[in-house]
Amino acid sequence: QVQLVESGGGLVQAGGSLRLSCAASGLTFSRYTMGWFRQAPGKEREFVVAITWSGGSTYYADSVKGRFTISRDNAKNTVYLQMNNVKPEDTAVYYCAARSGRIATSHSGYELWGQGTLVTVSS
């Protein structure tokens, strides 16, 4: 059974920091591109960031560039999203996703999805 399980969401004040984790099982984690997406209330699901299987390449959405950082630990089958200087506009359910290929920014390009973790940023 293939599973992606997010954790680390919660309530944080604007300007604060939060770290999300996504633990993978049932797949050869090190061979997958991993991405983070988010869906805010009343909004469409949007791309946040992705990282290649080697960790050598990343791609960030303009809205989070300079504030969020993605990393992965293949030995632990885990990908992380470090969120710094968060804004109320960052409030959303955050999903991790896996893709057996190169970096893509469309949600349709990802094969596996976690259940999501809620991040709420207060002003």
Side-chain angles (χ1 to χ4, degrees), residues 27-35 50-55 57 72 97-106 108-112:
L27 73 163
T28 306
F29 178 78
S30 62
R31 307 308 300 179
Y32 281 77
T33 290
M34 300 297 299
I51 186 169
T52 59
W53 62 267
S54 66
S57 296
R72 67 190 297 166
R99 181 177 187 269
S100 57
R102 299 181 181 274
I103 285 178
T105 59
S106 173
S108 63
Y110 289 79
E111 305 157 10
L112 307 170

Side-chain angles (χ1 to χ4, degrees), residues 1-18:
Q1 182 179 4
V2 177
Q3 292 187 91
L4 302 176
V5 181
E6 302 96 334
S7 62
L11 177 64
V12 61
Q13 291 187 332
S17 297
L18 204 65

